[in-house]
């Protein structure tokens, strides 16, 4: 990788000493490092400057709602990852989802990076990893600091490294492993590890961080956003569940080829013990919560507001790992928060009817029975009545309160002036993160990215129990119903078998975590080809007499994706950028690259 060494080193130092306004914990700006000729010795000459180096490492963490046009802030070309799941059909003409929809994505697409769901070199992941190791290697030299505090700061840096590796692992499988900072004289020649070695290394780092992180922050108002033990334990549970799932943990690889034969994209066998480890990790956090408190789901008795506050509002202890990228969002047309434009009018956040149908009735029952007939009080002529409150807080539905009035998403109404109005073209509008899209709700609001929330731990615990026991136990039901009860939804149907409970859990996770980038990883870890190839629907609502007239509801087909007829398991994991593979340091490709590129790639990975 000699061609890349100078790039890596320059990137590291270009970012290391910049100011920290982007992170901004709580309500106070942190001190800035000195300007002028800054050296390592200067930065680590006192704790204030050393801390600033760590805060800047925090700034590399993933923030997955579009903010600007740089590679990190512009996910999928102003699109969202839900657009390549069954939850959303994007109508953003220039967005990255269009490349996937048309079957135009190949490994060569990763050379630019701004249109794909995750980029190997442009997400700040490697920068964050190297900066964190540089901090770990130098913080011991800072004078007049207690050993306990030094260990805590190192633990924060280790968890940042683990987060970056966790994200890359879920996109790529086995990875080159960096265990120190990079210097210009290093022979950077790191091979890909196996998938299992990569996961084991991530878990080891998390365990090291858990040992030295505090359970609770000293002042949540000022330090909300810093790493703590509960967040670390939650990340461990997430990653062990992902590793236990069939994408990696199965009798056969998801795709044959060099990467699979070298066990870079699966573990080489099906090991039931991995589900036990996932269960135990989730239970360890649950036990600590019962013993120590502090972290809990927001639950004041107002289901809609509690759900919204749980993912959106800072400082309420439901989000175990919040990521800050600027203290406040920008104006609607601000260059600091493009999500408003893309979701509000350009067509990136168009929810599908398939997703709407996943939300149960408020009484807990599904809206259709096994024969496809309306059930549990569901009325197709009044389809949004008495539904799971998470539906209304995730998706803007016709007739809901909006901007101080009633939302009009019927064709000709104020939210969907015509059938081609892109922001509402599927018959639904943005609500989650968007809220009302105005100054009183979301524009210029204090917000964060909820990288990991507590309800995920409860649902992961229930899932692991179901897989271990061959079906749900009373305790598995308890933790699903704990998530449901917070939003005032009735309990899950009793008597489900293992497969039925698994399906119910995946729907529950979709209802709880829409737009939080959980659905994609749920689909790939369970190798859900059926959800990538099914027909997606929208809703045309028509009013015969205009405003106030009788409404009719007509389910429509959304444009067919390439995947429907040409699905391949190769889509489960991302390709590496061919430019990076060509550096010949052992980065075995996950899939076939366009043959005209003359790259040294195994063509079995198709």
């Amino acid at each position: 990788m000699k061609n890349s060494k100078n790039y890596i080193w320059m990137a590291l130092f270009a970012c290391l000493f910049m100011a920290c306004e982007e992170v901004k914990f709580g309500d106070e700006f942190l001190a800035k490092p000195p300007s002028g000729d800054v050296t390592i010795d200067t930065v680590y000459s006192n704790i204030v400057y050393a801390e600033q180096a760590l805060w800047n490492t925090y700034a590399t963490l993933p923030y997955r709602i579009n903010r600007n046009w740089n590679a990190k802030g512009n996910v999928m070309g102003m699109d969202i990852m839900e657009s390549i799941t069954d939850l959303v059909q994007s109508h953003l003409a220039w967005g990255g989802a269009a490349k996937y929809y048309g079957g135009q994505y190949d490994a060569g697409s990763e050379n630019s990076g701004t249109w794909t769901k995750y980029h190997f070199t442009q997400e700040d992941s490697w920068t964050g990893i190297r900066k964190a190791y540089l901090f770990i290697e130098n913080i011991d030299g800072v004078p007049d600091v207690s050993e306990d505090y030094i260990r805590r700061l190192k633990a924060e840096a280790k968890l940042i490294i683990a987060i970056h590796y966790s994200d890359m692992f879920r996109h790529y499988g086995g990875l080159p492993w960096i265990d120190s900072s990079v210097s210009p004289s290093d022979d950077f020649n790191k091979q890909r590890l196996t998938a299992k070695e990569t996961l084991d290394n991530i878990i080891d780092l998390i365990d090291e961080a858990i040992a030295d992180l505090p359970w609770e922050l000293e002042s949540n108002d000022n330090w909300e956003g810093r790493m703590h033990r509960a967040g670390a334990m939650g990340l461990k549970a997430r990653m062990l569940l992902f590793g236990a799932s069939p994408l990696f943990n199965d009798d056969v690889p998801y795709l044959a080829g060099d990467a699979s034969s070298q066990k870079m994209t699966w573990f080489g066998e099906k090991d039931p013990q991995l589900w036990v480890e996932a269960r135990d990790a989730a239970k360890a956090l649950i036990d600590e919560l019962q013993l120590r408190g502090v972290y809990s789901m927001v639950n004041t008795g107002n289901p809609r507001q509690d759900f919204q506050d749980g993912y959106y509002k800072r400082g309420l202890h439901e989000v175990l790992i919040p990521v800050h990228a600027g203290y406040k969002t920008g104006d609607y047309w601000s260059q600091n928060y493009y999500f408003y434009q893309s979701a509000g009018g350009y067509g990136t956040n168009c929810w599908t009817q398939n997703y709407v149908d996943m939300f149960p009735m408020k009484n807990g029952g599904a809206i259709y029975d096994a024969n496809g007939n309306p059930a549990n009080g569901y009325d197709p002529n009044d389809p949004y009545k008495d539904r799971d409150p998470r539906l209304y807080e995730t998706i803007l539905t016709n007739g809901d309160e909006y901007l101080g009035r009633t939302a009009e998403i019927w064709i000709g109404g104020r939210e969907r002036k015509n059938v081609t109005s892109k922001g509402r073209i599927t018959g639904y509008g943005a609500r989650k993160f968007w809220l009302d899209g105005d100054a009183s709700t979301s524009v210029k609001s204090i917000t964060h990215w909820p990288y990991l929330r507590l309800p995920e731990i409860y649902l992961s615990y229930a899932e692991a129990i179901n897989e271990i026991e061959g079906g749900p136990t009373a305790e598995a039901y308890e933790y699903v119903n704990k998530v449901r009860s917070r939003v005032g939804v009735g309990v899950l149907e009793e008597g489900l078998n293992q497969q039925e409970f698994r399906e119910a859990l995946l729907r529950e996770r979709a209802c709880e975590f829409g737009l939080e980038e959980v659905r994609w990883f749920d689909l790939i870890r369970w190798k859900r080809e059926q959800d990538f190839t099914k027909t997606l629907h929208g809703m045309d609502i028509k009013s015969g007499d205009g405003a106030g007239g009788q409404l009719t509801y007509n389910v429509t087909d959304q444009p067919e994706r390439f995947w429907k007829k040409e699905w391949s398991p190769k889509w489960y994991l991302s390709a590496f950028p061919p430019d990076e593979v060509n550096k010949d340091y052992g980065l075995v490709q996950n899939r076939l690259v366009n043959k005209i590129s003359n790259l040294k790639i195994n063509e079995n990975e198709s």
Side-chain angles (χ1 to χ4, degrees):
M1 195 177 173
K2 293 181 179 178
N3 292 337
S4 66
K5 285 194 298 184
N6 290 338
Y7 164 77
I8 293 168
W9 190 244
M10 290 170 62
L12 174 62
F13 276 92
C15 298
L16 179 58
F17 303 118
M18 55 193 294
C20 195
E21 285 92 344
E22 284 295 300
V23 173
K24 195 178 184 190
F25 295 107
D27 296 330
E28 299 178 6
F29 283 102
L30 299 171
K32 298 180 181 180
S35 59
D37 295 330
V38 180
T39 67
I40 290 291
D41 289 341
T42 303
V43 171
Y44 294 97
S45 63
N46 68 64
I47 190 58
V48 174
Y49 299 156
E51 285 176 328
Q52 186 71 38
L54 180 60
W55 309 157
N56 188 246
T57 305
Y58 271 93
T60 67
L61 289 172
Y63 189 93
R64 299 291 290 178
I65 298 180
N66 287 302
R67 299 181 63 243
N68 49 48
W69 284 112
N70 65 37
K72 180 183 177 181
N74 179 27
V75 178
M76 291 185 63
M78 208 192 234
D79 224 314
I80 53 177
M81 244 176 75
E82 259 77 354
S83 291
I84 52 175
T85 74
D86 54 343
L87 306 189
V88 169
Q89 177 73 17
S90 176
H91 288 262
L92 184 66
W94 63 84
K99 189 180 288 284
Y100 292 86
Y101 292 173
Q104 297 152 347
Y105 173 86
D106 61 15
S109 305
E110 295 290 354
N111 279 336
S112 61
T114 57
W115 306 102
T116 59
K117 62 185 177 66
Y118 192 92
H119 194 269
F120 186 65
T121 61
Q122 297 183 33
E123 295 280 349
D124 269 0
S125 51
W126 294 111
T127 300
I129 289 167
R130 294 183 180 97
K131 288 165 69 173
Y133 275 123
L134 193 66
F135 177 86
I136 291 169
E137 291 164 0
N138 287 276
I139 187 63
D140 285 323
V142 178
D144 303 321
V145 184
S146 72
E147 291 184 7
D148 285 346
Y149 191 55
I150 293 292
R151 284 195 296 269
R152 173 187 174 173
L153 295 177
K154 286 183 178 181
E156 292 181 54
K158 288 175 182 177
L159 195 56
I160 291 171
I161 295 168
I163 288 171
H164 284 305
Y165 264 117
S166 294
D167 282 349
M168 289 192 289
F169 176 76
R170 293 189 296 166
H171 284 283
Y172 300 106
L175 295 158
W177 191 264
I178 307 298
D179 56 9
S180 63
S181 63
V182 179
S183 74
S185 61
D186 286 339
D187 182 12
F188 188 78
N189 188 25
K190 297 288 187 179
Q191 305 280 326
R192 277 186 81 178
L193 299 183
T194 68
K196 189 61 166 63
E197 288 170 337
T198 302
L199 179 60
D200 288 346
N201 283 355
I202 292 169
I203 299 303
D204 287 346
L205 264 177
I206 295 172
D207 282 339
E208 290 176 19
I210 288 171
D212 292 321
L213 285 171
W215 176 255
E216 183 178 4
L217 301 175
E218 298 90 332
S219 166
N220 204 53
D221 288 340
N222 190 47
W223 291 112
E224 191 261 353
R226 284 186 75 173
M227 300 302 175
H228 50 70
R229 190 181 307 164
M233 295 177 75
L235 181 63
K236 180 178 180 178
R238 168 188 276 184
M239 295 311 298
L240 287 174
L241 187 87
F242 191 86
S245 303
L247 179 65
F248 292 137
N249 184 32
D250 209 346
D251 293 327
V252 294
Y254 79 94
L255 185 69
D258 262 5
S260 293
S261 65
Q262 297 180 53
K263 297 184 176 57
M264 296 172 177
T265 56
W266 72 310
F267 295 160
E269 62 179 351
K270 186 175 184 178
D271 183 1
Q273 181 62 26
L274 296 180
W275 285 108
V276 176
E277 294 176 11
R279 179 201 63 190
D280 291 350
K283 186 61 161 57
L285 175 53
I286 290 169
D287 288 346
E288 285 289 292
L289 289 170
Q290 293 173 345
L291 178 67
R292 298 174 180 270
V294 181
Y295 308 99
S296 63
M297 292 187 296
V298 180
N299 192 0
T300 68
N302 183 344
R304 283 192 61 166
Q305 192 62 50
D306 290 344
F307 176 71
Q308 181 190 116
D309 288 348
Y311 79 84
Y312 192 79
K313 194 171 182 180
R314 284 169 55 162
L316 295 184
H317 293 114
E318 178 170 324
V319 181
L320 297 177
I321 301 181
V323 177
H324 302 172
Y327 186 51
K328 293 185 178 182
T329 64
D331 290 322
Y332 183 90
W333 289 107
S334 167
Q335 294 184 3
N336 291 321
Y337 212 62
Y338 281 126
F339 175 74
Y340 289 136
Q341 293 92 288
S342 60
Y346 292 157
T348 188
N349 195 188
C350 301
W351 302 105
T352 65
Q353 185 65 40
N354 309 65
Y355 186 31
V356 173
D357 289 349
M358 292 182 196
F359 290 88
M361 299 297 292
K362 188 176 181 181
N363 62 23
I367 65 173
Y368 292 110
D369 64 20
N371 297 316
N373 299 314
N376 298 301
Y378 175 66
D379 181 0
N381 295 312
D382 194 2
Y384 315 122
K385 181 181 179 182
D386 295 331
R387 299 287 294 276
D388 180 342
R390 292 174 297 188
L391 169 62
Y392 315 126
E393 282 301 318
T394 303
I395 300 169
L396 181 63
T397 57
N398 190 69
D400 196 22
E401 183 177 345
Y402 181 63
L403 290 171
R405 54 177 175 80
T406 298
E408 299 177 358
I409 314 185
W410 42 271
I411 297 170
R414 281 181 280 187
E415 274 61 71
R416 194 180 181 189
K417 292 183 171 31
N418 55 63
V419 72
T420 60
S421 297
K422 283 195 172 181
R424 316 283 189 267
I425 198 168
T426 60
Y428 300 102
R431 173 73 84 180
K432 197 167 187 179
F433 292 105
W434 167 272
L435 306 185
D436 280 357
D438 63 2
S440 65
T441 60
S442 51
V443 174
K444 291 188 175 181
S445 64
I446 301 170
T447 191
H448 57 200
W449 171 247
Y451 181 83
L452 178 64
R453 285 198 290 125
L454 181 57
E456 183 177 337
I457 307 307
Y458 293 151
L459 297 179
S460 295
Y461 182 53
E463 180 178 339
I465 291 173
N466 185 57
E467 298 307 318
I468 293 165
E469 301 297 337
T473 65
E475 192 174 24
Y477 272 102
E478 175 189 349
Y479 280 92
V480 175
N481 291 331
K482 184 185 290 284
V483 175
R484 285 187 158 210
S485 65
R486 185 269 286 273
V487 291
V489 171
V491 298
L492 188 63
E493 177 187 356
E494 294 283 348
L496 300 179
N497 63 30
Q498 183 184 45
Q499 176 64 27
E500 290 166 341
F501 191 81
R502 183 188 300 146
E503 293 296 318
L505 264 171
L506 291 174
R507 286 193 300 272
E508 191 69 26
R509 288 168 68 94
C511 294
E512 181 71 26
F513 301 116
L515 211 59
E516 294 180 50
E517 293 196 347
V518 170
R519 182 64 171 176
W520 170 267
F521 296 112
D522 282 349
L523 295 184
I524 67 168
R525 68 187 176 88
W526 278 105
K527 299 191 281 193
R528 302 273 296 187
E529 177 178 344
Q530 68 269 32
D531 286 317
F532 289 108
T533 59
K534 67 188 179 187
T535 300
L536 299 178
H537 302 289
M539 176 69 78
D540 280 352
I541 307 173
K542 298 180 181 180
S543 175
D545 302 318
Q550 181 66 39
L551 299 178
T552 59
Y553 298 86
N554 304 288
V555 175
T556 62
D557 288 349
Q558 287 298 294
E560 188 174 282
R561 300 178 185 180
F562 173 83
W563 285 343
K564 183 172 177 61
K565 296 177 181 176
E566 302 290 340
W567 174 260
S568 167
K570 69 182 181 182
W571 298 92
Y572 291 138
L573 294 181
S574 291
F576 293 103
D579 285 352
E580 199 70 16
V581 174
N582 280 347
K583 293 169 183 174
D584 289 328
Y585 59 90
L587 198 61
V588 178
Q589 185 59 275
N590 278 343
R591 71 180 73 201
L592 178 67
V593 181
N594 193 332
K595 292 181 182 180
I596 63 172
S597 60
N598 296 318
L599 296 174
K600 299 176 181 178
I601 306 299
N602 185 332
E603 293 187 3
N604 290 328
E605 296 275 339
S606 59

